[in-house]
Amino acid sequence: PAAARVSRRVAVAAAADADSGAGSQATLTQDIIAGISTACVAMPQSCAYALLAGTGVKCAVMAAAASSIPCALLGSSRYLQVGCLSLGALLTRGALVNLGLPLASETYVAGAAVLALYAGATRVACGFARLGNVMTSLPVPLLQGFVSAATWMVFFSQVPAMVGASASGPLAGHFATAAFWLGTHPGTWHLGTAAMAAATFVIMLNGMKIHKLFPSALVCCVLGCVLAFNGLDIGGVVGAISVDVSSLWPPAAFSVPPELLKALAVPGIAMGVITYLEGAAVCRFWADNDGEPWDSNKELIAQGVANICSGLAGGMNVAGVISRSSFGIQAGAKTRLAHGVTGLCLILFVVTGGGALLAYLPKAVLGALVGCGVLPLLAPTGVMKPLFDNFLAQPWPVKRDCLIAWVTVAFTFTARPTLDIGLYRGAAFAAFVFVLEKLYARADTLKEEADEKAAREASASE
C-alpha cells in the first residue's frame, strides 16, 4: 500500500540522518569497497556480452567505462548498476546482422554505437516527457513472455562458444536449432573448450557457497588466462585490445553512412524502450520493499545520457543490470558513489592499458559466464506455470495471462528479422485478447439488460 511505502521511506530517511557523522565514514568505505568489487565482475561480464553482440570486446569495454559515472551522477536509485546486458547484446546483434553487416567489422561496431545513441536519445526524450510510468506499465504477461524467450535465445546463442564448434546444415540458421544440433553431435566439440566452460559453470554455481562476495567471474577469467598462458588448448581467446584515447574524437558513429543511420533508427528507438524495462522492474521492486526512493523519469534521463556517452565512446547499448546490481548490494553498496567508483575503475582499466590482459582470456569462459548469468531466468515465470498445472480448470484471468505469455514466447522464438518483432506481435495479440474480453463483457451486460427489461415488461403486462 502507498501508506506503507511512505512509512518505509520515512524510516529510511530517519535512519540516514541517524547514521550521519561517524557513520558517513563507514558508508564511504563500504561504497569504495563495493565499487571496486563490482568492477571486478563488470569487466568480464561486459566482455561476455560483447561475444554475444558480435561487436568485439573493445566495444563492450568502452560501453562499461563510459556509462557508469553518468548514471552515478544523474540516477535516482542508489543500488542500480548500469552496463551491457544480454538482451541489449542480442537485440544489437539482430539489428546489425539483419542489415548484412559482417560481425565485428568496423561498420558493424560503428552501427552498435549508433544504436546506443538512438537508445539514449529515446530515453532522454521519454524522461523529459515524463513517460516513465507509462513505459513501466506494459502488461506483465507480455513482458515476461518476451524476456523468457529472449533469455533462452541468449543461452542457446552461447552454446557454440561453450563447446568450441558450430552447427552445420539446415538447423544452423537459428540459435535454438543450432544448439540442438550441437547437443546431438558431441563428436564435433572441442574438448578443451567444453572442459573450460564446464569448469566455469562449476565455479560460478558454487562460488557463493564459499562466501557471498566470492568473485566467481574474476576467478574463472584468471583461471582461464593462466591455463591459456601455459599452453593448454582450451579453445580460442579474446585477444588483447588497446585504446587510443585521442582517437575517440570524432566518434566512429559520426562516420556511418546516412542510409545506415536511417535503417538503424527504428531498432535503436525500440531498444531504448525494451532494454530499459528490466532495470526499471528491479528499481520498482526495491522501492516497494525497502522504501528506496526511485524516479522513473529521472532514471530514464540518466540511462539516456549513459547510452549517449557509450555511443560517443564507441560502445554499445547499456541499461540496468540485475546481476551486477545485486552483487553491488551484497558487497555493501549504500549510495550511488559505489556505482561511480565502479565506473572510475573501468576507466582506469581502459586508459592504463588493461586491455592487454585480455590476450589470453578464453572465449569459452565468456560464453559460460553469459550462460550462467541467465540460468535463474530460464524457468517459466509464475504467470507461465499454470500451463503445466491443470490449465483448463484455472479461472479465466489466469488462463488469459498465461496464454498471452506463451504466445509471446512463440512469437519471439520465431521472430524475423529481429527479436523485437516478437514483442510487437505479442503486444498485438494481447490487445486483441483484451478487446475480445471487453466485447464479451459488453455483450453479457447488454444481454442482462435485455433480460431485465423483458422481465419488467412481462411483470407489467400481468
Side-chain angles (χ1 to χ4, degrees):
R5 287 197 295 270
V6 171
S7 298
R8 283 194 294 269
R9 290 175 183 174
V10 170
V12 170
D17 290 339
D19 288 340
S20 61
S24 61
Q25 183 64 39
T27 298
L28 176 65
T29 303
Q30 285 180 300
D31 280 335
I32 293 175
I33 294 174
I36 295 172
S37 301
T38 306
C40 293
V41 174
M43 184 52 63
Q45 195 178 59
S46 299
C47 294
Y49 293 142
L51 186 69
L52 173 58
T55 58
V57 170
K58 183 177 178 180
C59 183
V61 170
M62 295 307 297
S67 60
S68 293
I69 290 181
C71 276
L73 295 174
L74 302 174
S76 65
S77 173
R78 44 195 181 108
Y79 297 135
L80 189 65
Q81 289 267 349
V82 170
C84 305
L85 71 166
S86 57
L87 180 58
L90 196 62
L91 291 173
T92 296
R93 185 188 186 111
L96 298 173
V97 169
N98 179 54
L99 297 175
L101 301 178
L103 292 176
S105 65
E106 186 176 334
T107 305
Y108 188 99
V109 175
V114 170
L115 288 171
L117 290 174
Y118 277 131
T122 300
R123 291 186 194 175
V124 170
C126 290
F128 279 116
R130 307 195 67 78
L131 296 177
N133 290 333
V134 175
M135 292 175 61
T136 55
S137 61
L138 292 175
V140 171
L142 173 67
L143 293 178
Q144 289 192 1
F146 176 74
V147 171
S148 181
T151 300
W152 275 101
M153 297 280 274
V154 168
F155 186 84
F156 289 143
S157 71
Q158 296 308 295
V159 172
M162 290 189 283
V163 301
S166 299
S168 61
L171 297 182
H174 190 277
F175 288 140
T177 55
F180 173 79
W181 188 94
L182 288 170
T184 56
H185 293 77
T188 64
W189 297 4
H190 184 276
L191 294 182
T193 300
M196 189 68 246
T200 300
F201 268 92
V202 170
I203 295 172
M204 291 295 296
L205 296 178
N206 293 280
M208 293 287 287
K209 297 177 182 179
I210 299 174
H211 191 276
K212 67 178 183 178
L213 297 182
F214 184 77
S216 302
L218 182 62
V219 169
C220 293
C221 292
V222 171
L223 174 62
C225 289
V226 170
L227 294 177
F229 179 79
N230 284 282
L232 272 73
D233 184 9
I234 52 177
V237 296
V238 171
I241 65 170
S242 61
V243 178
D244 181 5
V245 178
S246 64
S247 68
L248 296 180
W249 191 266
F254 288 4
S255 63
V256 170
E259 58 272 15
L260 183 56
L261 288 174
K262 184 177 179 181
L264 292 175
V266 173
I269 293 171
M271 194 179 299
V273 176
I274 295 171
T275 58
Y276 170 73
L277 298 175
E278 179 179 338
V282 178
C283 287
R284 187 177 294 278
F285 172 80
W286 286 328
D288 289 341
N289 280 273
D290 67 356
E292 157 68 10
W294 178 62
D295 184 333
S296 183
N297 297 308
K298 188 175 181 181
E299 202 64 48
L300 272 169
I301 295 172
Q303 292 189 28
V305 173
N307 270 281
I308 292 172
C309 291
S310 174
L312 293 177
M316 56 191 286
N317 172 255
V318 296
V321 185
I322 295 177
S323 58
R324 193 182 306 173
S325 302
S326 299
F327 183 87
I329 294 173
Q330 293 175 341
K334 300 298 181 183
T335 71
R336 291 194 299 276
L337 174 63
H339 197 182
V341 171
T342 298
L344 181 60
C345 291
L346 295 173
I347 291 174
L348 290 175
F349 178 88
V350 170
V351 300
T352 59
L357 300 176
L358 304 177
Y360 297 98
L361 180 60
K363 293 182 179 180
V365 171
L366 299 184
L369 287 179
V370 174
C372 287
V374 299
L375 275 182
L377 304 176
L378 295 181
T381 66
V383 171
M384 301 165 69
K385 286 180 179 178
L387 182 66
F388 311 104
D389 185 17
N390 198 10
F391 178 75
L392 294 179
Q394 300 288 346
W396 164 244
V398 173
K399 289 191 285 189
R400 177 200 63 205
D401 291 350
C402 183
L403 183 64
I404 291 173
W406 281 106
V407 169
T408 304
V409 167
F411 280 145
T412 304
F413 262 105
T414 57
R416 291 291 187 276
T418 56
L419 198 66
D420 53 305
I421 298 295
L423 180 63
Y424 308 147
R425 291 173 179 169
F429 177 77
F432 173 73
V433 170
F434 284 120
V435 168
L436 281 182
E437 192 175 51
K438 295 295 183 182
L439 289 176
Y440 276 114
R442 179 59 178 164
D444 289 341
T445 301
L446 292 175
K447 186 177 183 301
E448 290 176 1
E449 292 175 351
D451 291 343
E452 291 176 359
K453 182 178 180 182
R456 286 196 303 268
E457 291 176 350
S459 177
S461 64
E462 293 176 358

